[in-house]
PDB file of all heavy atoms in Angstrom:
ATOM      1  N   LEU N 109      33.194  23.457 -65.673  1.00  0.00           N
ATOM      2  CA  LEU N 109      33.407  24.352 -64.477  1.00  0.00           C
ATOM      3  C   LEU N 109      34.198  25.665 -64.967  1.00  0.00           C
ATOM      4  O   LEU N 109      33.859  26.783 -64.614  1.00  0.00           O
ATOM      5  CB  LEU N 109      34.158  23.587 -63.475  1.00  0.00           C
ATOM      6  CG  LEU N 109      34.385  24.338 -62.072  1.00  0.00           C
ATOM      7  CD1 LEU N 109      33.070  24.575 -61.406  1.00  0.00           C
ATOM      8  CD2 LEU N 109      35.328  23.633 -61.162  1.00  0.00           C
ATOM      9  N   LEU N 110      35.225  25.450 -65.689  1.00  0.00           N
ATOM     10  CA  LEU N 110      36.063  26.585 -66.173  1.00  0.00           C
ATOM     11  C   LEU N 110      35.179  27.604 -66.939  1.00  0.00           C
ATOM     12  O   LEU N 110      35.294  28.789 -66.779  1.00  0.00           O
ATOM     13  CB  LEU N 110      37.239  26.066 -67.036  1.00  0.00           C
ATOM     14  CG  LEU N 110      38.405  25.574 -66.319  1.00  0.00           C
ATOM     15  CD1 LEU N 110      39.457  25.099 -67.247  1.00  0.00           C
ATOM     16  CD2 LEU N 110      39.030  26.590 -65.298  1.00  0.00           C
ATOM     17  N   ARG N 111      34.427  27.082 -67.845  1.00  0.00           N
ATOM     18  CA  ARG N 111      33.562  27.928 -68.641  1.00  0.00           C
ATOM     19  C   ARG N 111      32.548  28.687 -67.703  1.00  0.00           C
ATOM     20  O   ARG N 111      32.338  29.887 -67.882  1.00  0.00           O
ATOM     21  CB  ARG N 111      32.753  27.127 -69.694  1.00  0.00           C
ATOM     22  CG  ARG N 111      33.487  27.144 -71.028  1.00  0.00           C
ATOM     23  CD  ARG N 111      32.745  26.332 -72.050  1.00  0.00           C
ATOM     24  NE  ARG N 111      32.602  24.924 -71.644  1.00  0.00           N
ATOM     25  CZ  ARG N 111      31.698  24.076 -71.939  1.00  0.00           C
ATOM     26  NH1 ARG N 111      30.804  24.524 -72.815  1.00  0.00           N
ATOM     27  NH2 ARG N 111      31.646  22.900 -71.442  1.00  0.00           N
ATOM     28  N   ALA N 112      32.110  28.036 -66.752  1.00  0.00           N
ATOM     29  CA  ALA N 112      31.165  28.705 -65.787  1.00  0.00           C
ATOM     30  C   ALA N 112      31.883  29.885 -65.041  1.00  0.00           C
ATOM     31  O   ALA N 112      31.446  30.977 -64.776  1.00  0.00           O
ATOM     32  CB  ALA N 112      30.552  27.762 -64.876  1.00  0.00           C
ATOM     33  N   VAL N 113      33.157  29.500 -64.662  1.00  0.00           N
ATOM     34  CA  VAL N 113      33.889  30.521 -63.871  1.00  0.00           C
ATOM     35  C   VAL N 113      34.273  31.688 -64.774  1.00  0.00           C
ATOM     36  O   VAL N 113      34.132  32.874 -64.343  1.00  0.00           O
ATOM     37  CB  VAL N 113      35.368  29.915 -63.420  1.00  0.00           C
ATOM     38  CG1 VAL N 113      36.304  31.056 -62.928  1.00  0.00           C
ATOM     39  CG2 VAL N 113      35.060  28.903 -62.239  1.00  0.00           C
ATOM     40  N   MET N 114      34.643  31.447 -66.071  1.00  0.00           N
ATOM     41  CA  MET N 114      34.770  32.605 -67.027  1.00  0.00           C
ATOM     42  C   MET N 114      33.587  33.382 -67.185  1.00  0.00           C
ATOM     43  O   MET N 114      33.673  34.655 -67.211  1.00  0.00           O
ATOM     44  CB  MET N 114      35.359  32.002 -68.291  1.00  0.00           C
ATOM     45  CG  MET N 114      36.800  31.553 -68.140  1.00  0.00           C
ATOM     46  SD  MET N 114      37.534  31.141 -69.785  1.00  0.00           S
ATOM     47  CE  MET N 114      36.430  29.899 -70.408  1.00  0.00           C
ATOM     48  N   ALA N 115      32.516  32.741 -67.329  1.00  0.00           N
ATOM     49  CA  ALA N 115      31.208  33.522 -67.451  1.00  0.00           C
ATOM     50  C   ALA N 115      30.894  34.394 -66.206  1.00  0.00           C
ATOM     51  O   ALA N 115      30.557  35.601 -66.443  1.00  0.00           O
ATOM     52  CB  ALA N 115      29.973  32.541 -67.723  1.00  0.00           C
ATOM     53  N   LEU N 116      31.299  33.884 -65.056  1.00  0.00           N
ATOM     54  CA  LEU N 116      31.035  34.653 -63.875  1.00  0.00           C
ATOM     55  C   LEU N 116      32.060  35.867 -63.897  1.00  0.00           C
ATOM     56  O   LEU N 116      31.618  37.112 -63.576  1.00  0.00           O
ATOM     57  CB  LEU N 116      31.389  33.820 -62.621  1.00  0.00           C
ATOM     58  CG  LEU N 116      31.672  34.592 -61.277  1.00  0.00           C
ATOM     59  CD1 LEU N 116      30.248  34.971 -60.680  1.00  0.00           C
ATOM     60  CD2 LEU N 116      32.457  33.839 -60.288  1.00  0.00           C
ATOM     61  N   LEU N 117      33.214  35.678 -64.244  1.00  0.00           N
ATOM     62  CA  LEU N 117      34.229  36.860 -64.334  1.00  0.00           C
ATOM     63  C   LEU N 117      33.856  37.893 -65.278  1.00  0.00           C
ATOM     64  O   LEU N 117      33.936  39.066 -65.002  1.00  0.00           O
ATOM     65  CB  LEU N 117      35.603  36.297 -64.561  1.00  0.00           C
ATOM     66  CG  LEU N 117      36.231  35.488 -63.444  1.00  0.00           C
ATOM     67  CD1 LEU N 117      37.421  34.676 -63.916  1.00  0.00           C
ATOM     68  CD2 LEU N 117      36.564  36.223 -62.271  1.00  0.00           C
ATOM     69  N   GLU N 118      33.379  37.486 -66.455  1.00  0.00           N
ATOM     70  CA  GLU N 118      32.848  38.432 -67.446  1.00  0.00           C
ATOM     71  C   GLU N 118      31.712  39.170 -66.891  1.00  0.00           C
ATOM     72  O   GLU N 118      31.503  40.383 -67.132  1.00  0.00           O
ATOM     73  CB  GLU N 118      32.601  37.754 -68.832  1.00  0.00           C
ATOM     74  CG  GLU N 118      33.823  36.987 -69.308  1.00  0.00           C
ATOM     75  CD  GLU N 118      34.132  37.310 -70.832  1.00  0.00           C
ATOM     76  OE1 GLU N 118      33.297  36.884 -71.603  1.00  0.00           O
ATOM     77  OE2 GLU N 118      35.273  37.767 -71.049  1.00  0.00           O
ATOM     78  N   HIS N 119      30.846  38.379 -66.208  1.00  0.00           N
ATOM     79  CA  HIS N 119      29.657  39.020 -65.684  1.00  0.00           C
ATOM     80  C   HIS N 119      30.002  40.086 -64.681  1.00  0.00           C
ATOM     81  O   HIS N 119      29.458  41.089 -64.471  1.00  0.00           O
ATOM     82  CB  HIS N 119      28.737  37.906 -64.986  1.00  0.00           C
ATOM     83  CG  HIS N 119      27.423  38.417 -64.409  1.00  0.00           C
ATOM     84  ND1 HIS N 119      26.437  38.823 -65.116  1.00  0.00           N
ATOM     85  CD2 HIS N 119      27.184  38.646 -63.101  1.00  0.00           C
ATOM     86  CE1 HIS N 119      25.513  39.249 -64.266  1.00  0.00           C
ATOM     87  NE2 HIS N 119      25.892  39.130 -63.024  1.00  0.00           N
ATOM     88  N   GLU N 120      31.107  39.812 -63.966  1.00  0.00           N
ATOM     89  CA  GLU N 120      31.593  40.827 -62.985  1.00  0.00           C
ATOM     90  C   GLU N 120      32.438  41.900 -63.576  1.00  0.00           C
ATOM     91  O   GLU N 120      32.984  42.787 -62.896  1.00  0.00           O
ATOM     92  CB  GLU N 120      32.513  40.080 -61.993  1.00  0.00           C
ATOM     93  CG  GLU N 120      31.846  39.031 -61.059  1.00  0.00           C
ATOM     94  CD  GLU N 120      30.997  39.626 -59.970  1.00  0.00           C
ATOM     95  OE1 GLU N 120      31.260  40.822 -59.654  1.00  0.00           O
ATOM     96  OE2 GLU N 120      30.022  38.968 -59.503  1.00  0.00           O
ATOM     97  N   GLY N 121      32.482  42.027 -64.910  1.00  0.00           N
ATOM     98  CA  GLY N 121      33.049  43.167 -65.605  1.00  0.00           C
ATOM     99  C   GLY N 121      34.487  42.994 -66.061  1.00  0.00           C
ATOM    100  O   GLY N 121      35.093  43.913 -66.619  1.00  0.00           O
ATOM    101  N   PHE N 122      35.059  41.821 -65.803  1.00  0.00           N
ATOM    102  CA  PHE N 122      36.383  41.597 -66.349  1.00  0.00           C
ATOM    103  C   PHE N 122      36.383  41.123 -67.789  1.00  0.00           C
ATOM    104  O   PHE N 122      35.371  40.663 -68.293  1.00  0.00           O
ATOM    105  CB  PHE N 122      37.160  40.437 -65.502  1.00  0.00           C
ATOM    106  CG  PHE N 122      37.379  40.955 -64.006  1.00  0.00           C
ATOM    107  CD1 PHE N 122      36.470  40.594 -63.053  1.00  0.00           C
ATOM    108  CD2 PHE N 122      38.435  41.774 -63.741  1.00  0.00           C
ATOM    109  CE1 PHE N 122      36.678  40.959 -61.732  1.00  0.00           C
ATOM    110  CE2 PHE N 122      38.615  42.145 -62.366  1.00  0.00           C
ATOM    111  CZ  PHE N 122      37.641  41.850 -61.493  1.00  0.00           C
ATOM    112  N   ARG N 123      37.497  41.181 -68.420  1.00  0.00           N
ATOM    113  CA  ARG N 123      37.666  40.713 -69.833  1.00  0.00           C
ATOM    114  C   ARG N 123      38.648  39.485 -69.809  1.00  0.00           C
ATOM    115  O   ARG N 123      39.716  39.645 -69.479  1.00  0.00           O
ATOM    116  CB  ARG N 123      38.164  41.751 -70.759  1.00  0.00           C
ATOM    117  CG  ARG N 123      37.991  41.499 -72.185  1.00  0.00           C
ATOM    118  CD  ARG N 123      38.507  42.689 -73.073  1.00  0.00           C
ATOM    119  NE  ARG N 123      39.929  42.661 -73.189  1.00  0.00           N
ATOM    120  CZ  ARG N 123      40.668  42.047 -74.127  1.00  0.00           C
ATOM    121  NH1 ARG N 123      40.021  41.417 -75.065  1.00  0.00           N
ATOM    122  NH2 ARG N 123      41.940  42.093 -74.152  1.00  0.00           N
ATOM    123  N   MET N 124      38.113  38.330 -70.191  1.00  0.00           N
ATOM    124  CA  MET N 124      38.995  37.098 -70.272  1.00  0.00           C
ATOM    125  C   MET N 124      39.795  37.130 -71.528  1.00  0.00           C
ATOM    126  O   MET N 124      39.206  37.210 -72.598  1.00  0.00           O
ATOM    127  CB  MET N 124      38.158  35.865 -70.220  1.00  0.00           C
ATOM    128  CG  MET N 124      37.312  35.704 -68.902  1.00  0.00           C
ATOM    129  SD  MET N 124      38.245  35.918 -67.437  1.00  0.00           S
ATOM    130  CE  MET N 124      39.412  34.505 -67.609  1.00  0.00           C
ATOM    131  N   VAL N 125      41.126  36.992 -71.384  1.00  0.00           N
ATOM    132  CA  VAL N 125      41.911  36.989 -72.679  1.00  0.00           C
ATOM    133  C   VAL N 125      42.475  35.575 -72.686  1.00  0.00           C
ATOM    134  O   VAL N 125      42.684  34.878 -71.687  1.00  0.00           O
ATOM    135  CB  VAL N 125      42.980  38.071 -72.691  1.00  0.00           C
ATOM    136  CG1 VAL N 125      42.370  39.347 -72.660  1.00  0.00           C
ATOM    137  CG2 VAL N 125      43.991  37.886 -71.486  1.00  0.00           C
ATOM    138  N   GLY N 126      42.808  35.212 -73.908  1.00  0.00           N
ATOM    139  CA  GLY N 126      43.434  33.773 -74.174  1.00  0.00           C
ATOM    140  C   GLY N 126      44.942  33.871 -73.846  1.00  0.00           C
ATOM    141  O   GLY N 126      45.573  34.887 -74.119  1.00  0.00           O
ATOM    142  N   LEU N 127      45.462  32.735 -73.500  1.00  0.00           N
ATOM    143  CA  LEU N 127      46.767  32.685 -73.226  1.00  0.00           C
ATOM    144  C   LEU N 127      47.707  32.971 -74.403  1.00  0.00           C
ATOM    145  O   LEU N 127      48.779  33.632 -74.293  1.00  0.00           O
ATOM    146  CB  LEU N 127      47.143  31.089 -72.859  1.00  0.00           C
ATOM    147  CG  LEU N 127      48.413  30.813 -72.142  1.00  0.00           C
ATOM    148  CD1 LEU N 127      48.535  31.698 -70.873  1.00  0.00           C
ATOM    149  CD2 LEU N 127      48.499  29.377 -71.696  1.00  0.00           C
ATOM    150  N   HIS N 128      47.225  32.622 -75.640  1.00  0.00           N
ATOM    151  CA  HIS N 128      48.000  32.809 -76.851  1.00  0.00           C
ATOM    152  C   HIS N 128      48.050  34.415 -77.049  1.00  0.00           C
ATOM    153  O   HIS N 128      48.881  34.909 -77.797  1.00  0.00           O
ATOM    154  CB  HIS N 128      47.365  32.256 -78.004  1.00  0.00           C
ATOM    155  CG  HIS N 128      45.930  32.407 -78.198  1.00  0.00           C
ATOM    156  ND1 HIS N 128      44.976  31.917 -77.342  1.00  0.00           N
ATOM    157  CD2 HIS N 128      45.219  33.231 -79.011  1.00  0.00           C
ATOM    158  CE1 HIS N 128      43.761  32.282 -77.737  1.00  0.00           C
ATOM    159  NE2 HIS N 128      43.888  33.099 -78.737  1.00  0.00           N
ATOM    160  N   GLU N 129      47.152  35.282 -76.491  1.00  0.00           N
ATOM    161  CA  GLU N 129      47.216  36.633 -76.702  1.00  0.00           C
ATOM    162  C   GLU N 129      48.248  37.298 -75.837  1.00  0.00           C
ATOM    163  O   GLU N 129      48.750  38.403 -76.183  1.00  0.00           O
ATOM    164  CB  GLU N 129      45.826  37.297 -76.357  1.00  0.00           C
ATOM    165  CG  GLU N 129      44.722  36.789 -77.154  1.00  0.00           C
ATOM    166  CD  GLU N 129      43.344  37.386 -76.708  1.00  0.00           C
ATOM    167  OE1 GLU N 129      43.254  38.644 -76.567  1.00  0.00           O
ATOM    168  OE2 GLU N 129      42.404  36.559 -76.404  1.00  0.00           O
ATOM    169  N   VAL N 130      48.595  36.658 -74.732  1.00  0.00           N
ATOM    170  CA  VAL N 130      49.663  37.202 -73.857  1.00  0.00           C
ATOM    171  C   VAL N 130      51.006  36.452 -74.004  1.00  0.00           C
ATOM    172  O   VAL N 130      51.992  36.890 -73.596  1.00  0.00           O
ATOM    173  CB  VAL N 130      49.270  37.290 -72.366  1.00  0.00           C
ATOM    174  CG1 VAL N 130      48.118  38.178 -72.221  1.00  0.00           C
ATOM    175  CG2 VAL N 130      48.879  35.884 -71.800  1.00  0.00           C
ATOM    176  N   LEU N 131      50.959  35.283 -74.543  1.00  0.00           N
ATOM    177  CA  LEU N 131      52.187  34.463 -74.726  1.00  0.00           C
ATOM    178  C   LEU N 131      52.147  33.898 -76.206  1.00  0.00           C
ATOM    179  O   LEU N 131      51.874  32.743 -76.442  1.00  0.00           O
ATOM    180  CB  LEU N 131      52.188  33.257 -73.768  1.00  0.00           C
ATOM    181  CG  LEU N 131      52.936  33.232 -72.514  1.00  0.00           C
ATOM    182  CD1 LEU N 131      53.067  31.876 -72.016  1.00  0.00           C
ATOM    183  CD2 LEU N 131      54.400  33.911 -72.766  1.00  0.00           C
TER     184      LEU N 131
END
Side-chain angles (χ1 to χ4, degrees):
Chain N
L109 185 66
L110 282 176
R111 268 178 298 157
V113 168
M114 286 193 297
L116 167 81
L117 290 168
E118 301 226 299
H119 179 77
E120 295 282 341
F122 294 99
R123 194 176 79 90
M124 299 304 301
V125 302
L127 198 53
H128 53 284
E129 298 176 53
V130 294
L131 260 193

